[in-house]
Amino acid sequence: MTRVIHTGDTHLGYQQYHVPERREDFMAAFRQVAADAADGDVDAVVHAGDLFHDRRPTLTDVLDTLEVLRTLDDADVPFLAVVGNHEAKRDAQWLDLFASMGLATRLDDEPTVVGDVAFYGLDYVPRSQRDALAYDFAPHDADHAALVTHGQFKPFDYGTWDAEAIVAEATVDFDALLLGDEHAAETKQVEDTWLTYCGSTERASADERDDRGYNVVTFEGDVAIARRGLDTREFVYVEADLAEGEGVDRVRERVGQYDLEDAVVIVHVDGAGDPITPAAVEEFALDRGALVARVTDHREFADEGATEVSFADPDDAVRERVRELGLSEAARDLDETIRASKVADANVADAVENRVRELVDEGDADAFEPAPAEDGIDEGGDTAGDEAATATGDELIDAGGDAAEAADGGTESTDDGPDETEQSVAGDGGPESAGDAPAEDPEDQSTMEEFF
């Protein structure tokens, strides 16, 4: 019998909501996983990608991660892992550094045998490169085999990568695919192979309401998948459905019914009541001990001569303007990648380049056609919108590269749109941005980037 902890999407270094305590929370969750492994009866910790939130973690993040990995090493619990989309670099990976120190094993197409299970790895692969994959794995003589990989897989509803093709085409018969990238735990079966997501260890998005945890997978005859929870920071969700004539006082009354101490407070306002000022509610929650408070008013109010903007979510105003530009499908796709996706800031350039090449390789000319009039082309003849809407594939490669470089140089992408994460790990409507990472303290800016 072999029993392993299957975890992933730890997103170390993510300073969610620009609050240092949230950055510490992500590391604390990873420490819990390691402590459980060291104290429990498991043979390995298997990490399914997105160890880090960004491919340029700070030196503090790297040192803290080394400390956790040494906890496992001291307990003789091997750490087996693959590279996810958030942390992926162009050449050597952070995981290679940890492997060179004897603290980790980067799984690949050669078997790594633990107990009676041969573990293989497949790093995250961009969609444009997946058709070329051969799924050729070296043979093994263990009783069981498992593939650890990262991506959004079919037959799960959000999937774009066909797990059935992997199972059918692989040169090894896998008992299980241990998956990362989707932040919600979920399990399915394809023929005789189990497919399971472990979920994220912390909430990388306000939409991730389920308790956080990891899987315990036991290989003994059949595959058994159990769930263990983690003690993470409380998220308090407040739904305020206002009746006619009710306003901010009613919202604050609803918020005040909860214990907010050290919690992240998420308030959703709906109904027919009066307009409210989100800041007044957020200040109310903070005064009662909340670590973070965010208010979203889902209602719309007519305001003649003014543009509707919800200051709780200014991205709504941007999205509305983007719709009015009449951009082509390809241009809207790039906007989503650069501005509103779960792609980590540091990875935007690569993601844009890959997506544009994908569109060009697919040869779908319609993707570069401007949206029809009923989809919101600016009847006044918005020049920028017209130019973007009619851009060719080659022009988009150039423009996308320029925009991506600008984003990679410091423009925050928001992950407040529906986290592939990003799901949020695994991408991931309305989640906190994977690009919501903060500006770091100056003394914490040192990285080991120059070694790669």
Side-chain angles (χ1 to χ4, degrees), residues 106-138:
R106 182 180 175 186
L107 297 172
D108 55 21
D109 55 6
E110 294 288 334
T112 296
V113 178
V114 175
D116 56 2
V117 182
F119 290 95
Y120 297 81
L122 180 60
D123 295 339
Y124 174 81
V125 178
R127 190 183 308 187
S128 60
Q129 300 174 22
R130 293 172 192 167
D131 289 344
L133 295 175
Y135 304 119
D136 187 9
F137 300 94

Side-chain angles (χ1 to χ4, degrees), residues 329-406:
E329 179 184 342
R332 293 196 303 270
D333 196 350
L334 293 183
D335 168 73
E336 170 66 20
T337 300
I338 295 169
R339 183 187 57 78
S341 79
K342 284 184 59 178
V343 179
D345 292 348
N347 296 343
V348 169
D350 290 340
V352 168
E353 181 179 352
N354 288 335
R355 185 57 188 138
V356 172
R357 292 190 185 284
E358 216 171 81
L359 289 166
V360 173
D361 290 346
E362 288 171 359
D364 183 4
D366 291 341
F368 300 101
E369 291 296 321
E374 59 266 27
D375 282 354
I377 289 183
D378 192 343
E379 293 181 0
D382 187 298
T383 303
D386 293 343
E387 289 176 356
T390 57
T392 66
D394 290 339
E395 290 167 343
L396 278 171
I397 290 177
D398 294 336
D402 293 341
E405 286 176 11

